[in-house]
Amino acid sequence: MKQFYETYQEDSKVSALRTQISWTHHKILISQANTHKERTFYLQKTIQERYSTRELERQIKSSLYERSQLGKPSLSTALTEAHPAASEVFRDPYVLEFLQLPLQHTQKDIQKAILYNLSAFILEVGKDFSLVEQEYRVQVGMEDFYIDLLLFHRGLQCLVAIELKIEHFKPQHLG
């Protein structure tokens, strides 16, 4: 209780947020978040994303704060113009340790592991996503292409195509 008081005593901004999460959440934030900014970030994310205590611990251990502060995703101009909030939805990089893949794995292995751990994957990519289809067929000209995972984001009201690659990035992957 003393740590709780000392942590939050002079923070009027966080005052209203403190009551929205459990005591266990606060214990995790007090013991694992290193700075005031980091603690506030995780406090807001926990409320916004409704993290369980396990998910909060996982996000802290996977350095979500650092990833979201340092690694701003590179989004196309068309996307940011159409959906200004998109930069808040996507992050770079994603941590997928929960897939528990062996060192040597294929793209198909990643896709199967994501589908098997779909709820954890959606928690990692962010809230408001839902799976539309896997191996979604798209015909361009006379050729068929398959999108590995097609998600829908309810907040942005748009489809999000996820193309899984295990090789180094090549410009043609962007298309």
Side-chain angles (χ1 to χ4, degrees), residues 7-38:
T7 301
Y8 295 116
Q9 71 178 342
E10 294 180 19
D11 197 346
S12 59
K13 178 182 170 190
V14 174
S15 166
L17 301 176
R18 288 190 316 232
T19 60
Q20 296 181 35
I21 62 172
S22 72
W23 176 248
T24 309
H25 284 92
H26 283 295
K27 285 176 31 181
I28 292 167
L29 288 172
I30 290 169
S31 64
Q32 295 183 26
N34 298 323
T35 65
H36 171 71
K37 276 185 166 182
E38 183 179 2

Side-chain angles (χ1 to χ4, degrees), residues 70-113:
L70 299 175
K72 294 292 181 191
S74 55
L75 303 173
S76 72
T77 309
L79 176 63
T80 52
E81 286 175 5
H83 301 286
S87 63
E88 299 300 317
V89 172
F90 301 103
R91 51 181 175 244
D92 186 24
Y94 291 101
V95 177
L96 304 174
E97 85 291 343
F98 57 86
L99 297 180
Q100 299 177 344
L101 291 166
L103 230 37
Q104 298 295 321
H105 56 271
T106 65
Q107 288 175 203
K108 199 70 168 167
D109 294 336
I110 295 172
Q111 186 174 357
K112 284 180 186 174

Side-chain angles (χ1 to χ4, degrees), residues 20 41 43-52 55 58-59 64 85-91 94 118-131 151-160 162:
Q20 296 181 35
F41 171 82
L43 178 63
Q44 291 170 338
K45 272 291 191 194
T46 299
I47 293 166
Q48 179 184 4
E49 304 277 343
R50 295 189 175 126
Y51 288 156
S52 66
E55 184 59 24
R58 190 184 88 71
Q59 294 294 357
L64 174 63
S87 63
E88 299 300 317
V89 172
F90 301 103
R91 51 181 175 244
Y94 291 101
L118 191 58
S119 61
F121 177 72
I122 288 186
L123 279 173
E124 176 60 25
V125 295
K127 72 174 195 168
D128 285 346
F129 281 99
S130 59
L131 178 68
L151 303 177
F152 181 76
H153 190 272
R154 293 184 301 266
L156 297 176
Q157 293 289 305
C158 68
L159 293 169
V160 177
I162 297 181

Side-chain angles (χ1 to χ4, degrees), residues 137-146:
R137 184 175 71 89
V138 177
Q139 190 172 22
V140 179
M142 298 302 287
E143 234 180 306
D144 287 341
F145 297 92
Y146 292 89

